[in-house]
Amino acid sequence: HRIHPDRLEAFAARLAEEERAYFNRRGVDENIQEYCDPELYRVAYYRDKFRLNLDAPDGNERLRGQVIQSYLEGLHWVLQYYHHGCPSWTWYYPYYFAPLCSDLRDLGSYKVRFLKGKPFTPLTQLLGVLPPESSGELPPPYRQLMLDLESPVRDFYPAEFLTDLNGKRFDWEAVVLLPFIEERRLLEAVGSI
């Protein structure tokens, strides 16, 4: 019911043994030269998926301080959720992709703590997960938050959005790059109803 950092590191290290070959295949298949270079695939991945420049003086520090910290929090959150119930109603993973397994090292140095927060009401929860095409399932004032062009949270529900195939072949396998819902703004908008 808890993560053992040494065991997780050993598991990640085993997966990392396949990482270079995986990126080499993707580089060939997707014609991404940097992915074929064993020195560059890591830099290209974090630049493309996280907009993180590892060549900057604080690049690796930011990777460890933000991305890996958040990823570990996510692993802890899921494990705690299934064994003890929701550890935090406000936590979310603020990225679309995971860090590379080869970067999951020194995991015992990370500290994970959650703020409990409060759950959304059922209608607010629906605002957080439904697409605008399903807005008819909501009462009219909530529906307007999704559809009205003047809504203070309209940007959470874009008509068009990007996807990232991330090495997959079919559109249904793509990572959907929707904006993250900002809890405070959503609750303020719901509070105005």
Side-chain angles (χ1 to χ4, degrees):
H1 65 278
R2 65 185 176 92
I3 290 176
H4 299 272
D6 294 343
R7 294 178 191 173
L8 180 57
E9 278 185 51
F11 180 70
R14 174 60 188 96
L15 293 176
E17 292 172 11
E18 309 295 326
E19 200 173 83
R20 187 172 292 158
Y22 167 78
F23 275 96
N24 188 57
R25 277 193 310 274
R26 281 193 58 191
V28 170
D29 292 346
E30 299 171 45
N31 196 27
I32 303 173
Q33 294 291 27
E34 292 167 306
Y35 281 5
C36 294
D37 186 322
E39 303 299 319
L40 293 181
Y41 77 85
R42 183 174 172 268
V43 171
Y45 176 78
Y46 286 112
R47 181 195 65 226
D48 296 344
K49 305 303 182 187
F50 293 87
R51 292 189 171 93
L52 186 60
N53 180 3
L54 295 185
D55 291 330
D58 67 342
N60 281 296
E61 183 180 317
R62 287 183 58 217
L63 167 65
R64 298 199 68 72
Q66 296 171 8
V67 176
I68 295 173
Q69 174 71 38
S70 293
Y71 187 73
L72 284 176
E73 288 171 359
L75 294 177
H76 280 272
W77 190 96
V78 170
L79 200 56
Q80 288 183 33
Y81 178 84
Y82 284 104
H83 286 273
H84 303 292
C86 183
S88 172
W89 293 101
T90 60
W91 186 88
Y92 70 98
Y93 184 66
Y95 304 102
Y96 298 104
F97 302 94
L100 297 176
C101 286
S102 59
D103 287 310
L104 297 179
R105 298 183 312 270
D106 192 29
L107 301 180
S109 68
Y110 292 88
K111 303 298 178 224
V112 175
R113 291 183 182 85
F114 294 109
L115 297 174
K116 188 68 170 174
K118 295 180 184 177
F120 284 170
T121 62
L123 290 174
T124 304
Q125 177 67 26
L126 288 174
L127 277 173
V129 299
L130 288 178
E133 294 79 12
S134 298
S135 64
E137 303 301 320
L138 295 168
Y142 286 78
R143 185 178 316 143
Q144 289 310 111
L145 289 176
M146 293 178 113
L147 302 176
D148 187 345
L149 294 177
E150 301 301 317
S151 166
V153 292
R154 179 67 176 93
D155 56 309
F156 295 161
Y157 313 101
E160 295 182 13
F161 49 85
L162 298 174
T163 60
D164 185 331
L165 285 173
N166 194 37
K168 304 294 190 240
R169 297 164 85 190
F170 304 106
D171 287 342
W172 58 267
E173 297 175 292
V175 175
V176 179
L177 305 176
L178 289 169
F180 292 106
I181 300 283
E182 296 173 39
E183 179 186 21
R184 181 191 53 77
R185 285 181 52 208
L186 184 63
L187 290 175
E188 285 176 3
V190 168
S192 71
I193 295 175

Short mmCIF file of all heavy atoms in Angstrom, two decimals, residues 3-59:
data_model
loop_
_atom_site.label_atom_id
_atom_site.label_comp_id
_atom_site.label_asym_id
_atom_site.label_seq_id
_atom_site.Cartn_x
_atom_site.Cartn_y
_atom_site.Cartn_z
N ILE A 3 4.74 3.06 -1.82
CA ILE A 3 5.82 2.92 -2.78
C ILE A 3 7.14 2.76 -2.03
O ILE A 3 7.44 3.52 -1.12
CB ILE A 3 5.87 4.14 -3.72
CG1 ILE A 3 4.65 4.09 -4.64
CG2 ILE A 3 7.16 4.17 -4.51
CD1 ILE A 3 4.52 5.27 -5.56
N HIS A 4 7.90 1.78 -2.44
CA HIS A 4 9.25 1.58 -1.92
C HIS A 4 10.21 2.17 -2.96
O HIS A 4 10.36 1.58 -4.04
CB HIS A 4 9.55 0.09 -1.72
CG HIS A 4 8.64 -0.56 -0.73
ND1 HIS A 4 8.92 -0.58 0.62
CD2 HIS A 4 7.44 -1.18 -0.88
CE1 HIS A 4 7.95 -1.21 1.25
NE2 HIS A 4 7.04 -1.57 0.36
N PRO A 5 10.86 3.31 -2.67
CA PRO A 5 11.68 3.98 -3.68
C PRO A 5 12.74 3.10 -4.32
O PRO A 5 12.91 3.13 -5.54
CB PRO A 5 12.32 5.13 -2.91
CG PRO A 5 11.41 5.37 -1.75
CD PRO A 5 10.82 4.04 -1.41
N ASP A 6 13.41 2.26 -3.54
CA ASP A 6 14.47 1.41 -4.11
C ASP A 6 13.90 0.40 -5.10
O ASP A 6 14.49 0.14 -6.15
CB ASP A 6 15.23 0.68 -2.99
CG ASP A 6 16.02 1.63 -2.11
OD1 ASP A 6 16.25 2.79 -2.54
OD2 ASP A 6 16.38 1.24 -0.99
N ARG A 7 12.76 -0.17 -4.77
CA ARG A 7 12.14 -1.15 -5.67
C ARG A 7 11.65 -0.48 -6.95
O ARG A 7 11.80 -1.04 -8.04
CB ARG A 7 10.98 -1.86 -4.96
CG ARG A 7 11.43 -2.72 -3.81
CD ARG A 7 10.23 -3.34 -3.12
NE ARG A 7 10.64 -3.96 -1.87
CZ ARG A 7 9.79 -4.45 -0.99
NH1 ARG A 7 8.49 -4.40 -1.23
NH2 ARG A 7 10.22 -4.99 0.12
N LEU A 8 11.05 0.70 -6.79
CA LEU A 8 10.58 1.43 -7.96
C LEU A 8 11.76 1.81 -8.86
O LEU A 8 11.68 1.71 -10.08
CB LEU A 8 9.80 2.67 -7.55
CG LEU A 8 9.25 3.54 -8.68
CD1 LEU A 8 8.36 2.74 -9.62
CD2 LEU A 8 8.50 4.73 -8.11
N GLU A 9 12.86 2.24 -8.25
CA GLU A 9 14.05 2.56 -9.04
C GLU A 9 14.56 1.35 -9.80
O GLU A 9 14.95 1.46 -10.97
CB GLU A 9 15.16 3.10 -8.14
CG GLU A 9 15.02 4.55 -7.79
CD GLU A 9 16.21 5.07 -6.99
OE1 GLU A 9 17.36 4.85 -7.41
OE2 GLU A 9 15.96 5.70 -5.94
N ALA A 10 14.59 0.19 -9.16
CA ALA A 10 15.06 -1.02 -9.83
C ALA A 10 14.14 -1.37 -11.01
O ALA A 10 14.62 -1.73 -12.10
CB ALA A 10 15.11 -2.18 -8.83
N PHE A 11 12.84 -1.23 -10.82
CA PHE A 11 11.88 -1.50 -11.90
C PHE A 11 12.08 -0.50 -13.05
O PHE A 11 12.15 -0.89 -14.21
CB PHE A 11 10.46 -1.41 -11.34
CG PHE A 11 9.40 -1.66 -12.35
CD1 PHE A 11 9.20 -2.92 -12.88
CD2 PHE A 11 8.58 -0.62 -12.77
CE1 PHE A 11 8.21 -3.15 -13.82
CE2 PHE A 11 7.59 -0.84 -13.71
CZ PHE A 11 7.40 -2.11 -14.24
N ALA A 12 12.22 0.78 -12.71
CA ALA A 12 12.42 1.81 -13.74
C ALA A 12 13.74 1.60 -14.47
O ALA A 12 13.82 1.80 -15.69
CB ALA A 12 12.37 3.20 -13.10
N ALA A 13 14.77 1.18 -13.75
CA ALA A 13 16.07 0.93 -14.39
C ALA A 13 15.96 -0.19 -15.41
O ALA A 13 16.57 -0.13 -16.49
CB ALA A 13 17.12 0.60 -13.33
N ARG A 14 15.18 -1.21 -15.08
CA ARG A 14 14.99 -2.31 -16.04
C ARG A 14 14.26 -1.81 -17.28
O ARG A 14 14.63 -2.14 -18.40
CB ARG A 14 14.23 -3.46 -15.37
CG ARG A 14 13.86 -4.59 -16.29
CD ARG A 14 15.08 -5.23 -16.95
NE ARG A 14 14.70 -6.17 -17.97
CZ ARG A 14 14.64 -5.89 -19.27
NH1 ARG A 14 14.94 -4.69 -19.71
NH2 ARG A 14 14.28 -6.81 -20.14
N LEU A 15 13.23 -1.02 -17.10
CA LEU A 15 12.52 -0.45 -18.25
C LEU A 15 13.42 0.48 -19.05
O LEU A 15 13.35 0.53 -20.28
CB LEU A 15 11.27 0.31 -17.78
CG LEU A 15 10.15 -0.52 -17.19
CD1 LEU A 15 9.03 0.39 -16.70
CD2 LEU A 15 9.62 -1.53 -18.18
N ALA A 16 14.28 1.20 -18.36
CA ALA A 16 15.17 2.15 -19.03
C ALA A 16 16.15 1.46 -19.96
O ALA A 16 16.64 2.07 -20.92
CB ALA A 16 15.93 2.98 -17.99
N GLU A 17 16.42 0.18 -19.73
CA GLU A 17 17.30 -0.56 -20.62
C GLU A 17 16.74 -0.63 -22.04
O GLU A 17 17.48 -0.79 -23.00
CB GLU A 17 17.54 -1.97 -20.08
CG GLU A 17 18.34 -2.01 -18.79
CD GLU A 17 18.40 -3.40 -18.18
OE1 GLU A 17 17.99 -4.38 -18.86
OE2 GLU A 17 18.85 -3.51 -17.02
N GLU A 18 15.44 -0.52 -22.17
CA GLU A 18 14.78 -0.58 -23.48
C GLU A 18 14.55 0.81 -24.09
O GLU A 18 14.14 0.92 -25.24
CB GLU A 18 13.42 -1.28 -23.34
CG GLU A 18 13.46 -2.61 -22.64
CD GLU A 18 14.25 -3.66 -23.39
OE1 GLU A 18 14.22 -3.63 -24.64
OE2 GLU A 18 14.91 -4.49 -22.73
N GLU A 19 14.82 1.83 -23.33
CA GLU A 19 14.48 3.20 -23.73
C GLU A 19 15.19 3.64 -25.01
O GLU A 19 14.56 4.17 -25.92
CB GLU A 19 14.83 4.13 -22.56
CG GLU A 19 14.17 5.46 -22.58
CD GLU A 19 14.47 6.19 -21.29
OE1 GLU A 19 15.54 6.81 -21.20
OE2 GLU A 19 13.63 6.14 -20.37
N ARG A 20 16.49 3.46 -25.06
CA ARG A 20 17.26 3.91 -26.22
C ARG A 20 16.78 3.25 -27.50
O ARG A 20 16.59 3.90 -28.53
CB ARG A 20 18.75 3.67 -25.99
CG ARG A 20 19.61 4.28 -27.08
CD ARG A 20 21.07 4.21 -26.75
NE ARG A 20 21.34 5.08 -25.62
CZ ARG A 20 22.39 4.96 -24.82
NH1 ARG A 20 23.25 4.00 -25.01
NH2 ARG A 20 22.58 5.80 -23.83
N ALA A 21 16.54 1.93 -27.45
CA ALA A 21 16.06 1.21 -28.64
C ALA A 21 14.67 1.70 -29.04
O ALA A 21 14.37 1.84 -30.23
CB ALA A 21 16.05 -0.29 -28.37
N TYR A 22 13.84 1.96 -28.05
CA TYR A 22 12.49 2.47 -28.32
C TYR A 22 12.55 3.80 -29.06
O TYR A 22 11.88 4.00 -30.07
CB TYR A 22 11.72 2.61 -27.00
CG TYR A 22 10.44 3.41 -27.13
CD1 TYR A 22 9.29 2.85 -27.67
CD2 TYR A 22 10.39 4.73 -26.71
CE1 TYR A 22 8.12 3.58 -27.79
CE2 TYR A 22 9.23 5.48 -26.82
CZ TYR A 22 8.10 4.89 -27.37
OH TYR A 22 6.95 5.64 -27.49
N PHE A 23 13.38 4.71 -28.56
CA PHE A 23 13.47 6.02 -29.21
C PHE A 23 14.14 5.92 -30.57
O PHE A 23 13.78 6.66 -31.49
CB PHE A 23 14.18 7.04 -28.30
CG PHE A 23 13.24 7.68 -27.33
CD1 PHE A 23 13.11 7.18 -26.04
CD2 PHE A 23 12.45 8.74 -27.71
CE1 PHE A 23 12.22 7.75 -25.15
CE2 PHE A 23 11.55 9.33 -26.83
CZ PHE A 23 11.43 8.82 -25.54
N ASN A 24 15.05 5.01 -30.74
CA ASN A 24 15.67 4.81 -32.05
C ASN A 24 14.62 4.36 -33.06
O ASN A 24 14.56 4.88 -34.18
CB ASN A 24 16.81 3.81 -31.95
CG ASN A 24 17.59 3.74 -33.25
OD1 ASN A 24 18.10 4.74 -33.72
ND2 ASN A 24 17.65 2.56 -33.83
N ARG A 25 13.77 3.41 -32.66
CA ARG A 25 12.69 2.96 -33.56
C ARG A 25 11.75 4.11 -33.90
O ARG A 25 11.36 4.28 -35.06
CB ARG A 25 11.89 1.83 -32.90
CG ARG A 25 12.49 0.47 -33.04
CD ARG A 25 11.51 -0.63 -32.65
NE ARG A 25 10.87 -0.43 -31.35
CZ ARG A 25 11.39 -0.79 -30.19
NH1 ARG A 25 12.56 -1.37 -30.13
NH2 ARG A 25 10.73 -0.58 -29.06
N ARG A 26 11.38 4.87 -32.88
CA ARG A 26 10.48 6.02 -33.14
C ARG A 26 11.16 7.03 -34.05
O ARG A 26 10.51 7.61 -34.93
CB ARG A 26 10.08 6.70 -31.82
CG ARG A 26 8.99 5.94 -31.11
CD ARG A 26 8.37 6.73 -30.02
NE ARG A 26 7.80 7.97 -30.47
CZ ARG A 26 7.38 8.94 -29.65
NH1 ARG A 26 7.46 8.78 -28.36
NH2 ARG A 26 6.88 10.05 -30.12
N GLY A 27 12.43 7.26 -33.85
CA GLY A 27 13.15 8.21 -34.70
C GLY A 27 13.12 7.80 -36.15
O GLY A 27 12.91 8.63 -37.04
N VAL A 28 13.30 6.50 -36.40
CA VAL A 28 13.26 5.99 -37.78
C VAL A 28 11.84 6.07 -38.32
O VAL A 28 11.60 6.59 -39.41
CB VAL A 28 13.80 4.54 -37.83
CG1 VAL A 28 13.54 3.92 -39.20
CG2 VAL A 28 15.28 4.52 -37.49
N ASP A 29 10.86 5.57 -37.55
CA ASP A 29 9.46 5.53 -38.01
C ASP A 29 8.88 6.92 -38.24
O ASP A 29 8.10 7.13 -39.17
CB ASP A 29 8.58 4.78 -37.01
CG ASP A 29 8.91 3.30 -36.94
OD1 ASP A 29 9.62 2.80 -37.82
OD2 ASP A 29 8.45 2.65 -35.97
N GLU A 30 9.23 7.87 -37.36
CA GLU A 30 8.63 9.20 -37.42
C GLU A 30 9.56 10.23 -38.06
O GLU A 30 9.22 11.42 -38.10
CB GLU A 30 8.25 9.65 -36.01
CG GLU A 30 7.23 8.74 -35.35
CD GLU A 30 7.03 9.08 -33.89
OE1 GLU A 30 6.89 10.28 -33.55
OE2 GLU A 30 7.00 8.14 -33.06
N ASN A 31 10.72 9.79 -38.50
CA ASN A 31 11.71 10.67 -39.11
C ASN A 31 12.09 11.82 -38.17
O ASN A 31 12.09 12.98 -38.55
CB ASN A 31 11.22 11.20 -40.46
CG ASN A 31 12.34 11.78 -41.26
OD1 ASN A 31 13.50 11.40 -41.11
ND2 ASN A 31 12.02 12.74 -42.12
N ILE A 32 12.41 11.45 -36.93
CA ILE A 32 12.88 12.42 -35.95
C ILE A 32 14.34 12.10 -35.66
O ILE A 32 14.64 11.17 -34.91
CB ILE A 32 12.04 12.37 -34.65
CG1 ILE A 32 10.56 12.61 -34.94
CG2 ILE A 32 12.57 13.39 -33.63
CD1 ILE A 32 9.65 12.41 -33.74
N GLN A 33 15.23 12.84 -36.30
CA GLN A 33 16.66 12.54 -36.21
C GLN A 33 17.17 12.52 -34.77
O GLN A 33 17.98 11.67 -34.41
CB GLN A 33 17.46 13.56 -37.02
CG GLN A 33 17.22 13.47 -38.51
CD GLN A 33 17.78 12.19 -39.11
OE1 GLN A 33 17.90 11.17 -38.45
NE2 GLN A 33 18.11 12.24 -40.38
N GLU A 34 16.71 13.44 -33.96
CA GLU A 34 17.21 13.52 -32.58
C GLU A 34 16.89 12.25 -31.79
O GLU A 34 17.65 11.86 -30.90
CB GLU A 34 16.62 14.74 -31.86
CG GLU A 34 17.12 16.05 -32.42
CD GLU A 34 16.30 17.21 -31.92
OE1 GLU A 34 15.07 17.18 -32.08
OE2 GLU A 34 16.89 18.15 -31.36
N TYR A 35 15.78 11.61 -32.08
CA TYR A 35 15.42 10.38 -31.37
C TYR A 35 16.36 9.23 -31.71
O TYR A 35 16.48 8.28 -30.96
CB TYR A 35 13.98 9.98 -31.66
CG TYR A 35 12.93 10.75 -30.89
CD1 TYR A 35 13.25 11.81 -30.06
CD2 TYR A 35 11.59 10.40 -30.99
CE1 TYR A 35 12.28 12.51 -29.36
CE2 TYR A 35 10.60 11.09 -30.29
CZ TYR A 35 10.96 12.14 -29.48
OH TYR A 35 9.99 12.81 -28.78
N CYS A 36 17.03 9.32 -32.87
CA CYS A 36 17.99 8.28 -33.27
C CYS A 36 19.35 8.46 -32.60
O CYS A 36 20.16 7.54 -32.59
CB CYS A 36 18.17 8.30 -34.79
SG CYS A 36 16.69 7.84 -35.70
N ASP A 37 19.60 9.63 -32.06
CA ASP A 37 20.88 9.92 -31.43
C ASP A 37 20.81 9.60 -29.95
O ASP A 37 20.02 10.19 -29.21
CB ASP A 37 21.23 11.40 -31.64
CG ASP A 37 22.61 11.76 -31.15
OD1 ASP A 37 23.04 11.22 -30.11
OD2 ASP A 37 23.26 12.58 -31.82
N PRO A 38 21.66 8.65 -29.46
CA PRO A 38 21.58 8.26 -28.05
C PRO A 38 21.89 9.40 -27.08
O PRO A 38 21.53 9.33 -25.91
CB PRO A 38 22.61 7.13 -27.93
CG PRO A 38 23.44 7.21 -29.14
CD PRO A 38 22.67 7.91 -30.19
N GLU A 39 22.53 10.46 -27.56
CA GLU A 39 22.83 11.60 -26.70
C GLU A 39 21.74 12.65 -26.73
O GLU A 39 21.67 13.51 -25.85
CB GLU A 39 24.17 12.24 -27.12
CG GLU A 39 25.35 11.28 -27.11
CD GLU A 39 25.62 10.72 -25.74
OE1 GLU A 39 25.52 11.47 -24.74
OE2 GLU A 39 25.91 9.51 -25.64
N LEU A 40 20.90 12.63 -27.75
CA LEU A 40 19.93 13.72 -27.94
C LEU A 40 18.48 13.35 -27.68
O LEU A 40 17.65 14.25 -27.51
CB LEU A 40 20.04 14.27 -29.36
CG LEU A 40 21.33 15.00 -29.73
CD1 LEU A 40 21.25 15.50 -31.15
CD2 LEU A 40 21.58 16.16 -28.78
N TYR A 41 18.13 12.06 -27.68
CA TYR A 41 16.70 11.73 -27.58
C TYR A 41 16.08 12.26 -26.29
O TYR A 41 14.95 12.72 -26.28
CB TYR A 41 16.47 10.22 -27.73
CG TYR A 41 16.79 9.38 -26.52
CD1 TYR A 41 15.86 9.20 -25.50
CD2 TYR A 41 18.03 8.74 -26.40
CE1 TYR A 41 16.15 8.44 -24.39
CE2 TYR A 41 18.33 7.96 -25.30
CZ TYR A 41 17.39 7.82 -24.30
OH TYR A 41 17.69 7.05 -23.21
N ARG A 42 16.84 12.20 -25.21
CA ARG A 42 16.34 12.68 -23.92
C ARG A 42 16.06 14.18 -23.97
O ARG A 42 15.01 14.65 -23.53
CB ARG A 42 17.37 12.34 -22.84
CG ARG A 42 16.98 12.71 -21.46
CD ARG A 42 18.02 12.18 -20.45
NE ARG A 42 17.75 12.70 -19.14
CZ ARG A 42 18.28 13.82 -18.65
NH1 ARG A 42 19.14 14.52 -19.36
NH2 ARG A 42 17.94 14.24 -17.45
N VAL A 43 17.00 14.94 -24.51
CA VAL A 43 16.85 16.39 -24.62
C VAL A 43 15.65 16.72 -25.51
O VAL A 43 14.82 17.58 -25.17
CB VAL A 43 18.14 17.04 -25.18
CG1 VAL A 43 17.93 18.50 -25.51
CG2 VAL A 43 19.29 16.84 -24.20
N ALA A 44 15.53 16.01 -26.64
CA ALA A 44 14.42 16.26 -27.57
C ALA A 44 13.07 15.90 -26.93
O ALA A 44 12.09 16.63 -27.10
CB ALA A 44 14.63 15.46 -28.85
N TYR A 45 13.03 14.79 -26.20
CA TYR A 45 11.78 14.37 -25.56
C TYR A 45 11.28 15.43 -24.59
O TYR A 45 10.12 15.85 -24.64
CB TYR A 45 11.98 13.04 -24.84
CG TYR A 45 10.77 12.57 -24.07
CD1 TYR A 45 9.69 11.98 -24.73
CD2 TYR A 45 10.69 12.72 -22.69
CE1 TYR A 45 8.58 11.55 -24.03
CE2 TYR A 45 9.58 12.28 -21.98
CZ TYR A 45 8.52 11.71 -22.65
OH TYR A 45 7.41 11.29 -21.96
N TYR A 46 12.15 15.89 -23.70
CA TYR A 46 11.71 16.88 -22.71
C TYR A 46 11.41 18.23 -23.34
O TYR A 46 10.52 18.94 -22.88
CB TYR A 46 12.73 17.00 -21.57
CG TYR A 46 12.68 15.81 -20.65
CD1 TYR A 46 13.72 14.90 -20.59
CD2 TYR A 46 11.56 15.57 -19.86
CE1 TYR A 46 13.66 13.79 -19.75
CE2 TYR A 46 11.49 14.47 -19.03
CZ TYR A 46 12.54 13.58 -18.98
OH TYR A 46 12.45 12.49 -18.15
N ARG A 47 12.10 18.57 -24.39
CA ARG A 47 11.80 19.81 -25.10
C ARG A 47 10.43 19.72 -25.76
O ARG A 47 9.59 20.62 -25.63
CB ARG A 47 12.88 20.09 -26.15
CG ARG A 47 12.63 21.39 -26.92
CD ARG A 47 13.46 21.48 -28.18
NE ARG A 47 13.05 20.43 -29.10
CZ ARG A 47 13.90 19.64 -29.76
NH1 ARG A 47 15.21 19.76 -29.63
NH2 ARG A 47 13.45 18.70 -30.57
N ASP A 48 10.17 18.61 -26.46
CA ASP A 48 8.93 18.47 -27.22
C ASP A 48 7.71 18.20 -26.35
O ASP A 48 6.62 18.69 -26.65
CB ASP A 48 9.07 17.33 -28.25
CG ASP A 48 10.14 17.62 -29.29
OD1 ASP A 48 10.57 18.79 -29.42
OD2 ASP A 48 10.55 16.66 -29.97
N LYS A 49 7.87 17.43 -25.30
CA LYS A 49 6.71 17.02 -24.50
C LYS A 49 6.46 17.91 -23.28
O LYS A 49 5.33 17.99 -22.80
CB LYS A 49 6.86 15.57 -24.02
CG LYS A 49 7.09 14.58 -25.14
CD LYS A 49 5.99 14.60 -26.17
CE LYS A 49 6.25 13.54 -27.23
NZ LYS A 49 5.30 13.62 -28.34
N PHE A 50 7.50 18.58 -22.79
CA PHE A 50 7.37 19.37 -21.57
C PHE A 50 7.77 20.84 -21.75
O PHE A 50 7.68 21.61 -20.81
CB PHE A 50 8.23 18.78 -20.44
CG PHE A 50 7.77 17.44 -19.97
CD1 PHE A 50 8.19 16.29 -20.60
CD2 PHE A 50 6.91 17.33 -18.89
CE1 PHE A 50 7.78 15.04 -20.16
CE2 PHE A 50 6.49 16.09 -18.45
CZ PHE A 50 6.91 14.94 -19.09
N ARG A 51 8.28 21.17 -22.96
CA ARG A 51 8.84 22.51 -23.20
C ARG A 51 9.91 22.83 -22.14
O ARG A 51 9.95 23.93 -21.60
CB ARG A 51 7.74 23.57 -23.19
CG ARG A 51 6.80 23.44 -24.36
CD ARG A 51 5.87 24.64 -24.45
NE ARG A 51 5.12 24.62 -25.67
CZ ARG A 51 3.92 24.08 -25.80
NH1 ARG A 51 3.35 23.50 -24.78
NH2 ARG A 51 3.30 24.12 -26.96
N LEU A 52 10.74 21.87 -21.88
CA LEU A 52 11.78 21.97 -20.87
C LEU A 52 13.13 21.87 -21.56
O LEU A 52 13.39 20.92 -22.29
CB LEU A 52 11.60 20.84 -19.85
CG LEU A 52 12.48 20.81 -18.63
CD1 LEU A 52 12.31 22.08 -17.79
CD2 LEU A 52 12.14 19.60 -17.79
N ASN A 53 13.97 22.86 -21.34
CA ASN A 53 15.29 22.90 -21.96
C ASN A 53 16.32 22.32 -20.99
O ASN A 53 16.75 22.99 -20.06
CB ASN A 53 15.65 24.33 -22.35
CG ASN A 53 17.00 24.44 -23.00
OD1 ASN A 53 17.69 23.44 -23.23
ND2 ASN A 53 17.42 25.65 -23.30
N LEU A 54 16.71 21.08 -21.23
CA LEU A 54 17.68 20.44 -20.35
C LEU A 54 19.08 21.03 -20.50
O LEU A 54 19.92 20.85 -19.63
CB LEU A 54 17.74 18.93 -20.61
CG LEU A 54 16.47 18.15 -20.29
CD1 LEU A 54 16.72 16.66 -20.47
CD2 LEU A 54 15.96 18.43 -18.89
N ASP A 55 19.31 21.75 -21.60
CA ASP A 55 20.63 22.37 -21.80
C ASP A 55 20.78 23.67 -21.01
O ASP A 55 21.88 24.18 -20.86
CB ASP A 55 20.87 22.65 -23.29
CG ASP A 55 21.05 21.36 -24.08
OD1 ASP A 55 21.54 20.37 -23.48
OD2 ASP A 55 20.68 21.33 -25.26
N ALA A 56 19.66 24.19 -20.50
CA ALA A 56 19.73 25.40 -19.67
C ALA A 56 20.40 25.05 -18.35
O ALA A 56 20.34 23.89 -17.90
CB ALA A 56 18.33 25.97 -19.44
N PRO A 57 21.02 26.02 -17.68
CA PRO A 57 21.72 25.73 -16.42
C PRO A 57 20.84 25.04 -15.38
O PRO A 57 21.32 24.20 -14.62
CB PRO A 57 22.17 27.11 -15.94
CG PRO A 57 22.23 27.95 -17.16
CD PRO A 57 21.18 27.42 -18.09
N ASP A 58 19.55 25.37 -15.34
CA ASP A 58 18.67 24.76 -14.34
C ASP A 58 17.77 23.69 -14.94
O ASP A 58 16.82 23.24 -14.31
CB ASP A 58 17.83 25.83 -13.66
CG ASP A 58 16.82 26.48 -14.62
OD1 ASP A 58 16.99 26.35 -15.85
OD2 ASP A 58 15.87 27.09 -14.13
N GLY A 59 18.06 23.25 -16.17
CA GLY A 59 17.19 22.31 -16.86
C GLY A 59 16.95 21.01 -16.13
O GLY A 59 15.82 20.61 -15.90
#
